[in-house]
């Protein structure tokens, strides 16, 4: 059955280990599906589970503001995107955000098969109450494309995230973030400034 996709569930039951991973197509990354520490857990698990198998849930609610919807969808872009929640009740504006995230996901999905991850950001002193920021940079196996997924956590005022880039010219090919969040290239790195705490975004870069 070559088209069969099997999920390795019960991630909290110590099943995220090689003998289970080699039997299944994807593994549920955590039961923390709607908490603010989702990006932290997903980034940590990239050290254990290949991105192509790391199933990250974005739970979507119609009462969520746009910033929260983007935060959840950006976190899912750290691995294999899975959608949950009240998808049938989302507004047209929320569905447009979902489509934007999935378009970026399909464009960047080859990076999930190969490539190397590296995390940048604040030290994690509390998973339940994260502060500061993190940016996960994934460089494709051929070195021609980069996906950066960044999140701002608890902070006073705006938050600046930075992800150093490999030497050479780069251009921003696609941005998924709130309109008042700013992403640009400066001094050999990608800079992403979030207007407030608990925001997220994803940037796809390519060599011109």
């Amino acid at each position: 059955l070559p088209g069969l996709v099997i999920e390795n569930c019960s991630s909290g039951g110590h099943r995220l280990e090689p003998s289970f991973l080699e039997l299944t197509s994807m593994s549920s990354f955590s039961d923390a599906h709607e908490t603010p520490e989702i990006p932290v857990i997903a980034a940590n698990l990239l050290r254990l589970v290949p991105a192509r198998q790391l199933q990250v849930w974005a739970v979507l609610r119609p009462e969520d503001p746009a910033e929260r919807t983007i935060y959840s969808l950006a976190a899912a872009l750290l691995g294999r995107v899975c959608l949950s929640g009240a998808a049938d009740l989302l507004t047209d504006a929320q569905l447009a955000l979902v489509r934007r995230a999935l378009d970026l996901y399909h464009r960047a999905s080859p990076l999930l098969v190969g490539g190397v991850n590296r995390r940048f950001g604040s030290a994690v002193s509390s998973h339940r109450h994260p502060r500061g920021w993190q940016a996960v940079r994934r460089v494709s196996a051929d070195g021609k494309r980069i996906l950066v997924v960044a999140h701002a956590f608890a902070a006073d005022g705006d938050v600046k995230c930075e992800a150093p880039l490999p030497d050479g010219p780069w251009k921003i090919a696609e941005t998924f973030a709130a309109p008042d969040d700013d992403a640009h290239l400066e001094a050999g790195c990608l800079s992403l400034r979030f207007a407030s705490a608990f925001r997220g975004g994803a940037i796809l870069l390519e060599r011109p």
Side-chain angles (χ1 to χ4, degrees), residues 33-34 58-66 68-69 72 84-87 89-91 94:
H33 292 166
E34 297 189 69
V59 182
L60 307 175
R61 304 290 182 190
E63 62 271 20
D64 287 344
R68 171 62 187 186
T69 300
S72 300
S84 183
L89 300 178
L90 297 180
T91 66
Q94 289 172 316

Side-chain angles (χ1 to χ4, degrees), residues 7 10 46 48 50 62 66 73 78 83-84 87 90 92 100 127 130-131 142 148 166 168 170 173 178 189 195:
E7 175 193 354
S10 300
L46 284 172
L48 177 68
L73 289 167
L78 286 167
L83 303 179
S84 183
L90 297 180
D92 289 344
R100 281 181 56 199
H127 284 71
R131 295 190 60 84
D142 62 7
V148 175
W170 292 96
C189 74

Side-chain angles (χ1 to χ4, degrees), residues 192-206:
L192 181 56
R193 185 177 294 277
F194 293 110
S196 62
F198 290 107
R199 292 199 182 198
I203 313 295
L204 180 65
L205 300 105
E206 298 175 345

Side-chain angles (χ1 to χ4, degrees), residues 10-94:
S10 300
S11 59
H14 299 289
R15 291 175 174 84
L16 294 181
E17 52 83 36
S19 66
F20 273 89
L21 293 176
E22 69 179 359
L23 295 174
T24 56
S25 304
M26 56 187 183
S27 297
S28 186
F29 86 118
S30 171
D31 290 331
H33 292 166
E34 297 189 69
T35 57
E37 63 266 28
I38 289 175
V40 178
I41 298 172
N44 285 344
L45 281 173
L46 284 172
R47 301 168 180 168
L48 177 68
V49 183
R52 67 181 182 276
Q53 289 181 269
L54 185 62
Q55 177 183 340
V56 186
W57 288 96
V59 182
L60 307 175
R61 304 290 182 190
E63 62 271 20
D64 287 344
E67 294 79 12
R68 171 62 187 186
T69 300
I70 295 172
Y71 185 96
S72 300
L73 289 167
L77 289 167
L78 286 167
R80 193 159 175 164
V81 172
C82 291
L83 303 179
S84 183
D88 58 323
L89 300 178
L90 297 180
T91 66
D92 289 344
Q94 289 172 316

Side-chain angles (χ1 to χ4, degrees), residues 162-186:
E162 292 184 328
L165 302 176
D167 292 338
W170 292 96
K171 68 174 183 178
I172 294 177
E174 193 167 343
T175 300
F176 177 68
D180 55 345
D181 295 331
D182 174 60
H184 61 276
L185 300 174
E186 62 175 36

Side-chain angles (χ1 to χ4, degrees), residues 117-198:
N117 293 304
R118 184 172 177 184
R119 180 194 179 277
F120 304 91
S122 310
V124 180
S125 58
S126 170
H127 284 71
R128 289 296 292 119
H129 305 284
R131 295 190 60 84
W133 63 277
Q134 79 170 23
V136 177
R137 183 195 71 191
R138 185 170 185 84
V139 182
S140 64
D142 62 7
K144 295 181 179 180
R145 307 177 84 194
I146 295 176
L147 179 65
V148 175
V149 178
H151 284 83
F153 306 122
D156 299 322
D158 61 0
V159 181
K160 182 179 181 180
C161 308
E162 292 184 328
L165 302 176
D167 292 338
W170 292 96
K171 68 174 183 178
I172 294 177
E174 193 167 343
T175 300
F176 177 68
D180 55 345
D181 295 331
D182 174 60
H184 61 276
L185 300 174
E186 62 175 36
C189 74
L190 173 69
S191 175
L192 181 56
R193 185 177 294 277
F194 293 110
S196 62
F198 290 107

